[in-house]
Amino acid sequence: MNEQDIQYLREAIEVAWSARKRGNHPFGAILVDGEGREVLRAENSVVTGHDVTNHAETNLVRLASGRFSPKELADCTLYTSTEPCAMCSGAIHWSRIGRVVYALSEEGLYEITGPSPENLLLPCREVFGHSGQPVRVDGPCDELEADARAVHAGFWR
């Protein structure tokens, strides 16, 4: 990961804090184009939107699919505070976003939440491994793990 990756991950964590402050699950995502410019951001809205599919990444993919072509999305990077779940990974696959960068791993999140109906412990690399298109994955980010964990502290129990 480079400095740009670290900066966008920090911002994704800030978006996760925003989601938490609004009463939602603490997850945030940012989409960056091939030139390194932020083009979209989205936070989790499961609670306030009354929709279990309103994860930060699926909200972002929904917005991105309406604004950009699959060819444009292939050059984009999705930065997310926590590794995408299986549902979000599927949405990323179908959107054709070319790269995912995350701060906290699914396993790290599981250490915080413990066994829960909220969890489906399936790493995004495994989901993308069944994809017919390449999705580059970078994460977790050791440098930001403490910050990525902090947004979840006290939320799940």
Side-chain angles (χ1 to χ4, degrees), residues 61-151:
V61 165
R62 201 172 293 117
L63 292 169
S65 306
R67 282 186 60 186
F68 303 104
S69 71
K71 185 176 179 348
E72 290 170 311
L73 289 173
D75 291 331
C76 289
T77 298
L78 188 153
Y79 291 92
T80 183
S81 57
T82 305
E83 181 174 358
C85 72
M87 175 185 71
C88 293
S89 297
I92 292 164
H93 158 80
W94 282 298
S95 75
R96 305 232 173 122
I97 290 171
R99 182 175 178 232
V100 172
V101 181
Y102 62 88
L104 180 65
S105 71
E106 184 84 11
E107 291 168 352
L109 178 63
Y110 189 80
E111 290 170 8
I112 296 166
T113 65
S116 162
E118 301 280 340
N119 290 4
L120 178 59
L121 191 56
L122 182 61
C124 69
R125 283 179 176 90
E126 189 169 333
V127 175
F128 296 139
H130 294 277
S131 173
Q133 66 179 10
V135 178
R136 179 176 161 198
V137 178
D138 292 303
C141 178
D142 295 337
E143 183 177 333
L144 296 177
E145 182 176 4
D147 294 340
R149 284 177 173 273
V151 72

Side-chain angles (χ1 to χ4, degrees), residues 16-99:
W17 277 111
S18 175
R20 183 174 177 165
K21 287 174 188 166
R22 295 179 204 278
N24 289 298
H25 300 165
F27 300 97
I30 294 175
L31 188 68
V32 173
D33 69 14
E35 302 298 316
R37 295 179 302 248
E38 178 182 328
V39 293
L40 289 171
R41 59 176 52 201
E43 60 187 49
N44 181 289
S45 59
V46 165
V47 176
T48 58
H50 308 286
D51 184 339
V52 297
T53 67
N54 282 353
H55 291 195
E57 298 91 342
T58 55
N59 287 341
L60 187 73
V61 165
R62 201 172 293 117
L63 292 169
S65 306
R67 282 186 60 186
F68 303 104
S69 71
K71 185 176 179 348
E72 290 170 311
L73 289 173
D75 291 331
C76 289
T77 298
L78 188 153
Y79 291 92
T80 183
S81 57
T82 305
E83 181 174 358
C85 72
M87 175 185 71
C88 293
S89 297
I92 292 164
H93 158 80
W94 282 298
S95 75
R96 305 232 173 122
I97 290 171
R99 182 175 178 232

